[in-house]
Amino acid sequence: MSEESASRTGDDGTGESGAVCDGAGESGAACDGGPEVRRLADWDADTLLDLRRQYGSPSYVLDLDRVRENYRRLAAAFPDAAVHYAAKANALGDVFEALDDEGAGVECASAGEVVRALDAGVPSDRVHYTAVNPPAVDLDTVVELWTDGVAADLTVTVGAEDTVARLATRGYDGRLCVRVNPGVGAGHHEKVQTGANAKFGVPRDRALDVAETATQAGMDVVGVHAHAGSGIHDADDLDAHREMVARVGDVAREFDAAHDLEFVDVGGGLGVPYREADAPLDLDAVADATRDALGDVDAQLVVEPGRYLVADAGVLLTDVNTVKETPDTTVLGVDAGMTTLARPAIYGSYHPIRNVTAGGDGRGEVRATVTGPICESSDVFAEDRPLAEPVRGDVLAIGNAGAYGYEMASNYNTRPRPATAVLEDGSASLARRRETLSDITTLEL
């Protein structure tokens, strides 16, 4: 594997941060974009152990240089498109700032994400607020930001005619995008396949009527939007994505006669290989399929990647506190749990796991079940997973944790959320301190 600008000096094939790339990586990717995928084995063990010593356990680590690499690779595959980062994957301010430096916009699923993007310095003309059955407080916040001029140029995407009426009641007559339900979904789990779910978007045969209602209320209809789902990775998913894009292209052409569209937003959902043997997403194939399916539309293409930009840029570090031999497996208890990383409990998701303490010291291998401290049988990160033989005090790294990790963390069992450290230009810093019990209880009256 070629040297990554985001990696650290070590014995496992990674190079120094900032090292000059002397050719394409094993994937054939250009240097600026880095290799197509970073595996958990590519993280330097000494660096991870040092971060554990500095910031405690459990802690998230996010490599901002890798986020930039992922963005550049995607932007090269979609040279004529605007890239808007789906903030729900990881709404850390440092991520917004890094991607803003690269020229990315931000797609926000809540008013809170809008505020955080603006606070990070993202210009409002690159902020899209995708309102899905928005609570009143969300609409109040966003419209107030727009009225005050803080977000004068943001775009609100609506998926229901009700939302148009609620915006009009609040005096909003700014930029509007209509989200269409394409009737076809895709993704890694049924819970994230949005394209065919009635919750999301306006039925295609009602989209133009909703746009007319918005125009009559004085709003400027500037785009149409659709999204198939999250974690699109295999051929079947790509076929569904292609069909979704074709359908939203048809809607955009229907809009042409009545509205001067600036953009057609085909969502995100680009997947990453969580399992070690899975191949990277064929990004060029996705880009080609997207352009071909969209067809001739007189508007700019917008894509909204989330996990693709941040997933392999992050790991979760956690200490082993219990090693228990049972007739069926070796149970490893760690101090992270489903409150720290919820994806395995919610979706049955696979995350690679590595014993970084045991690297290179000749330990044997065991089949282990890695569990957290939560009193729930769902609090399991892996079952029967081969790992270097553990002892209490070892540090495990859980890979591909940069997306939907901290964002989905909770205080269940009154457990404080972890710290987050960031790596950038060869140095580490604390981006978000660890919560304390008093942080949790301070809201009680």
Side-chain angles (χ1 to χ4, degrees), residues 387-400:
L387 288 173
E389 187 172 0
V391 297
R392 191 180 339 124
D394 281 354
V395 178
L396 302 187
I398 302 177
N400 274 344

Side-chain angles (χ1 to χ4, degrees), residues 209-354:
D209 291 338
V210 172
E212 289 300 325
T213 298
T215 299
Q216 291 171 13
M219 300 175 200
D220 184 14
V221 177
V222 295
V224 294
H225 173 284
H227 178 62
S230 183
I232 297 169
H233 193 259
D234 61 21
D236 289 341
D237 289 337
L238 183 55
D239 286 344
H241 173 76
R242 184 185 291 108
E243 178 61 24
M244 180 276 292
V245 174
R247 293 182 185 187
V248 76
D250 289 341
V251 172
R253 283 182 284 275
E254 290 177 11
F255 271 54
D256 271 349
H259 303 280
D260 186 16
L261 294 183
E262 293 181 14
F263 64 85
V264 178
D265 189 332
V266 298
L270 303 180
V272 298
Y274 281 87
R275 294 181 182 271
E276 291 89 341
D278 288 348
L281 178 69
D282 188 341
L283 192 58
D284 289 333
V286 174
D288 290 343
T290 300
R291 286 187 286 265
D292 290 345
L294 185 62
D296 185 18
V297 174
D298 188 19
Q300 184 177 36
L301 174 66
V302 175
V303 293
E304 295 176 352
R307 87 175 67 236
Y308 186 86
L309 299 181
V310 294
D312 74 352
V315 297
L316 172 62
L317 301 179
T318 182
D319 287 352
V320 174
N321 54 47
T322 303
V323 180
K324 180 168 61 175
E325 299 294 340
T326 75
D328 299 320
T329 187
T330 298
V331 177
L332 299 191
V334 298
D335 59 2
M338 63 189 241
T339 54
T340 319
L341 178 65
R343 295 188 72 253
I346 296 176
Y347 308 120
S349 300
Y350 180 97
H351 283 263
I353 301 177
R354 173 184 168 198

